[in-house]
Amino acid sequence: MALPVLFGANVDPVWEDPQYPLRLARQVDASGLDFIAIQDHPYQSAFYDAWTLLTFLAARTQHVTFVPTVANLPLRPPAVLAKAAASLALLTGGRVRLGLGAGAFWDAIAAFGGPRRNGKEAVDALEEAIDVIRAMWSGERSVRTSGEHYSVSGAHPGPPAGPALGIWLGAYRPRMLALTGRKADGWIPSLGFLGLDKLPEAVARIDDAALAAGRDPAAIRKVYNLGGLIGPESPELFHGSVRQWVDQLVTIVREHGMNGFTFWPSDDREHQLAIFAAEVAPAARAAVTAAG
């Protein structure tokens, strides 16, 4: 069964203007967009702590769902992260999804006291972390998992994870894409790192892994992060008119099976998000629905 297409917005976790994230979050909340994405880079001095900000914004909004894109696993132990996500989901009525990544910028992570992992270690650790998180969300009285990087031994989970709380992975390489298909609920690639020319192969890897694991590929949330601007007609992808944006979004849904989009305006953010919410998202949603 195909999932409905979602439309969201990135809110940068910058603190130079302390109230900027709240202003933008309230705008998005009132606009009818589905979710807000917040980057998690604890080592970035210009950023708030993502989980603190996400919790604050969720408490000051009413409708919109929040997704860390993506939670920095090497600096956030998975059992505690699972408890934090389940707690916030319960407090907000289910307005949280757990975006999760294997880690990058290893020098910066190490400077913060985190581990330095190679590619294989990072993927192995992420898979173990997913197992820990699922165990902590299981509702069982006591849970155990065993891994080289992450384990729990007789941990007592709680609060329970609601039915909507899932794990969305930031994934690009083959092993990560296969892991997404096997064990994740969603996928969050960015156009800047995975262009349209690479998208079909990546989607196929996820779908093939899902089928091999006995899962329905259509049930996986696939959200494309899109940097760009809405304005005059342009030959550049996602730097054109409302009509061009709608046509491009609908094509990606129909031809590649993506079912969600996050807008990252490259300039004039409040005005750009207003246009996206009022003109682009409704027209694209209507066109996808009409196409069946």
Side-chain angles (χ1 to χ4, degrees), residues 89 94 96-97 160-166 185:
V96 181
R97 305 294 180 270
L165 181 56
D185 305 292

Side-chain angles (χ1 to χ4, degrees), residues 162-226:
L165 181 56
I167 298 171
W168 296 6
L169 296 186
Y172 297 94
R173 295 185 178 180
R175 283 191 67 210
M176 286 285 289
L177 295 169
L179 177 60
T180 302
R182 289 198 315 275
K183 293 192 173 183
D185 305 292
W187 178 46
I188 329 172
S190 295
L191 176 65
F193 297 101
L194 187 78
L196 283 180
D197 58 328
K198 304 293 185 183
L199 189 60
E201 179 183 357
V203 171
R205 286 185 182 274
I206 291 172
D207 290 353
D208 288 348
L211 289 170
R215 307 179 70 208
D216 179 5
I220 296 174
R221 176 63 64 190
K222 297 166 181 162
V223 179
Y224 212 8
N225 295 327
L226 303 173

Side-chain angles (χ1 to χ4, degrees), residues 38-151:
I38 296 178
Q39 302 169 65
D40 184 20
H41 296 289
Y43 37 76
Q44 171 55 264
S45 63
F47 285 2
Y48 282 116
D49 171 69
W51 202 260
T52 304
L53 178 63
L54 187 150
T55 301
F56 171 75
L57 297 180
R60 302 291 294 272
T61 53
Q62 295 182 323
H63 309 291
V64 71
T65 293
F66 288 85
V67 189
T69 52
V70 286
N72 193 296
L73 176 63
L75 294 174
R76 299 190 186 274
V80 177
L81 187 58
K83 187 177 183 74
S87 298
L88 190 56
L90 184 60
L91 289 165
T92 61
R95 293 190 295 122
V96 181
R97 305 294 180 270
L98 181 55
L100 192 61
F105 309 106
W106 294 104
D107 289 345
I109 289 170
F112 259 60
R116 188 188 298 273
R117 293 172 178 152
N118 61 34
K120 180 182 184 304
E121 290 169 341
V123 180
D124 290 345
L126 178 60
E127 183 159 11
E128 291 173 10
I130 292 172
D131 293 342
V132 168
I133 292 166
R134 297 290 191 202
M136 294 297 294
W137 290 350
S138 67
E140 299 292 330
R141 180 178 178 278
S142 177
V143 296
R144 296 175 182 272
T145 71
S146 179
E148 180 181 349
H149 304 279
Y150 298 114
S151 302

Side-chain angles (χ1 to χ4, degrees), residues 264-291:
W264 294 53
S266 54
D267 195 13
D268 196 12
R269 289 170 178 80
E270 294 178 43
H271 179 61
Q272 286 284 309
L273 287 176
I275 298 172
F276 184 75
E279 301 183 44
V280 174
R285 203 186 305 268
V288 169
T289 301

Side-chain angles (χ1 to χ4, degrees), residues 2-7 187 196 199-200 203 207 217-218 220-224 226 237-238 244-262 276 280-281 283-292:
L3 296 174
V5 179
L6 301 182
F7 297 89
W187 178 46
L196 283 180
L199 189 60
V203 171
D207 290 353
I220 296 174
R221 176 63 64 190
K222 297 166 181 162
V223 179
Y224 212 8
L226 303 173
L237 189 65
F238 296 114
Q244 287 180 305
W245 268 79
V246 171
D247 290 346
Q248 290 161 7
L249 292 172
V250 171
T251 297
I252 292 172
V253 173
R254 291 176 179 170
E255 295 185 1
H256 304 302
M258 302 303 285
N259 52 37
F261 300 95
T262 314
F276 184 75
V280 174
R285 203 186 305 268
V288 169
T289 301

